[in-house]
Amino acid sequence: MAKMDLNLILLGGPGAGKGTQASRIVDSMDLVHLSTGDILREEVSEGTELGRQAKEYMDRGDLVPDELIIDMVSNKLDQDSGYLFDGFPRTISQAEELEDVLEIDKVIYINISKEEAVRRLSARRVCSECGEIYNLLFDKPSEPGVCDKCNGELYQRSDDRPEVIRNRFETFLEQSAPLIDFYRDRGTLVEVDGEREPGEIFEEVRSAIS
Ligand code: AMP
């Protein structure tokens, strides 16, 4: 795949399908996928100092403080390629820091309701080996608990419990939804209806970024 000189952001509340769309996008475009949630979960599982500090916020469904996130992302921005940001930025202050160092070409805002978020996330399972995402409602693995791609064991994220999901959704509305207008003002926002089949959403995303 040819290297892309394009920087994209996937914006959306919990359960909007950012991770699912991200894996489709990076399968077809040579972008570095940077998911702050994935990096934080790795830090937690490795027991690093950052992971220890982040865990208490993540377990409640609150945002990890901006300073920690901005440092963490700055350390990753060393590739000679475009980026697909997934779950970052989540606050205006993170977005302002980001625009100081990179030009963002498109922001895909995937819009879903709180009810749909709770329904989907309660049924989400993730592969512990390769990170592939399944959903027991509409995208089940062939064998229960086992990843189709790599045979890894599937698990439920500890923040995918209904009470935490509700708080994550409220956090999105309070702290991240202002980013919708922030990017709309910059002319980079593309809004897609996230309450459809992943394939249908991807077609819309693809035509918006090509
Ligand atoms: P995600 O996998 O994107 O849903 O992120 C899981 C959790 O990690 C969130 O609920 C937050 O606690 C934390 N997190 C991920 N990305 C960020 C970010 N950009 N800013 C603050 N907290 C974040």
Side-chain angles (χ1 to χ4, degrees), residues 198-210:
E200 216 182 304
I201 299 171
F202 180 60
E203 283 314 312
E204 201 176 326
V205 169
R206 190 156 57 179
S207 66
I209 59 187
S210 55

Side-chain angles (χ1 to χ4, degrees), residues 14 18 35-38 40-41 54 57-59 61-66 69 86-91 94 124 157 159 168:
K18 299 186 295 294
S35 155
T36 43
D38 285 351
L40 289 168
R41 279 184 288 281
Y57 298 95
M58 296 170 77
D59 284 347
D62 290 339
L63 292 187
V64 174
D66 284 338
I69 297 291
D86 164 2
F88 175 87
R90 259 180 159 99
T91 61
Q94 292 178 15
R124 174 162 73 178
R157 277 173 47 172
D159 57 354
R168 287 163 63 202

Side-chain angles (χ1 to χ4, degrees), residues 40-152:
L40 289 168
R41 279 184 288 281
E42 218 170 284
E43 298 279 342
V44 171
S45 75
E46 286 170 4
T48 65
E49 177 56 23
L50 170 60
R52 200 188 55 71
Q53 291 178 39
K55 189 174 185 313
E56 56 171 311
Y57 298 95
M58 296 170 77
D59 284 347
R60 287 196 300 263
D62 290 339
L63 292 187
V64 174
D66 284 338
E67 314 80 75
L68 294 179
I69 297 291
I70 289 163
D71 267 6
M72 180 181 94
V73 172
S74 312
N75 290 332
K76 302 271 175 192
L77 296 183
D78 55 0
Q79 306 283 322
D80 176 25
S81 177
Y83 286 90
L84 173 64
F85 294 100
D86 164 2
F88 175 87
R90 259 180 159 99
T91 61
I92 296 284
S93 142
Q94 292 178 15
E96 286 172 344
E97 292 283 340
L98 182 62
E99 74 179 357
D100 283 348
V101 293
L102 276 187
E103 188 178 329
I104 299 300
D105 298 285
K106 282 267 155 53
V107 179
I108 316 287
Y109 167 44
I110 311 177
N111 190 356
I112 64 159
S113 65
K114 178 155 83 177
E115 294 66 39
E116 180 66 7
V118 174
R119 192 177 82 92
R120 282 185 189 179
L121 292 186
S122 310
R124 174 162 73 178
R125 299 293 181 271
V126 185
C127 175
S128 54
E129 298 292 324
C130 73
E132 185 70 7
I133 302 164
Y134 295 87
N135 193 292
L136 303 183
L137 297 172
F138 49 77
D139 183 20
K140 284 190 198 172
S142 316
E143 199 183 320
V146 181
C147 178
D148 290 348
K149 276 198 172 169
C150 75
N151 285 328

